[in-house]
Amino acid sequence: MGNKTVVEKDTKSLAGERQLPLPDLVREALTRLRAMHMAEELAAGKRYEDSGYVLVDELGRALNGRQLRERAYKVMDEHGLRRVRLYDARASCFTYLANNGVPDHLLARWAGHTDVRTTKRWYVKPGVEDLRSAADTWGGLASVSTPAPA
């Protein structure tokens, strides 16, 4: 097992079996990736394996965990991003969505959770800057003029 093979597993619950709408940016990236796969398949000829996976090497073979990490870190480096584990990137996405007004029940559905509390507990992790609006609100409390006592 380890990083030599891809292990397929069922989802943890039926909530994990879901359809998700793709943002346009993701749809466009997947369309470009598919065109790249088609060019690689043409170049490889009979050596190409149609594994059915999205993230594959130039011969169509599914990437294992180590290969996924290495490629993700390369993309992060190329774009000047701090390296984070892929699992942590998932939490960052849910934190971003939560901070931008996506309701809890939709976050849970997107995450494939039946219980909103799971999503909030394990995936929404506000950082210091995420607390800025709360700090500004507290600042407003101190600046409110109150009538002088009579």
Side-chain angles (χ1 to χ4, degrees):
M1 193 156 85
N3 279 317
K4 295 183 181 171
T5 60
V6 175
V7 177
E8 289 189 39
K9 299 187 283 186
D10 286 333
T11 57
K12 293 178 184 175
S13 70
L14 287 177
E17 299 284 335
R18 63 203 184 280
Q19 291 182 350
L20 300 171
L22 292 177
D24 290 339
L25 180 70
V26 175
R27 185 185 328 284
E28 291 163 10
L30 288 172
T31 300
R32 289 191 306 274
L33 183 63
R34 180 65 187 132
M36 187 177 82
H37 287 171
M38 291 171 69
E40 290 171 344
E41 183 176 5
L42 189 61
K46 292 184 180 190
R47 295 180 304 139
Y48 195 87
E49 299 176 25
D50 189 3
S51 65
Y53 287 96
V54 174
L55 300 175
V56 297
D57 67 12
E58 61 281 348
L59 294 178
R61 298 175 299 211
L63 300 178
N64 63 38
R66 179 186 48 79
Q67 292 167 323
L68 285 170
R69 276 190 307 278
E70 287 173 355
R71 291 178 188 213
Y73 290 158
K74 181 179 177 188
V75 169
M76 291 173 200
D77 292 344
E78 288 171 354
H79 293 280
L81 301 171
R82 180 175 59 90
R83 281 189 180 193
V84 296
R85 295 179 308 166
L86 293 177
Y87 198 75
D88 293 333
R90 175 176 158 91
S92 295
C93 291
F94 287 118
T95 300
Y96 174 82
L97 293 173
N99 288 344
N100 284 280
V102 174
D104 292 350
H105 70 286
L106 296 179
L107 289 175
R109 175 85 189 270
W110 194 276
H113 298 146
T114 54
D115 190 337
V116 170
R117 293 173 297 184
T118 301
T119 310
K120 298 290 276 190
R121 180 176 181 186
W122 297 108
Y123 293 95
V124 178
K125 302 173 183 289
V128 174
E129 275 309 305
D130 297 325
L131 301 175
R132 178 69 48 211
S133 64
D136 293 344
T137 301
W138 277 110
L141 176 67
S143 65
V144 173
S145 59
T146 56

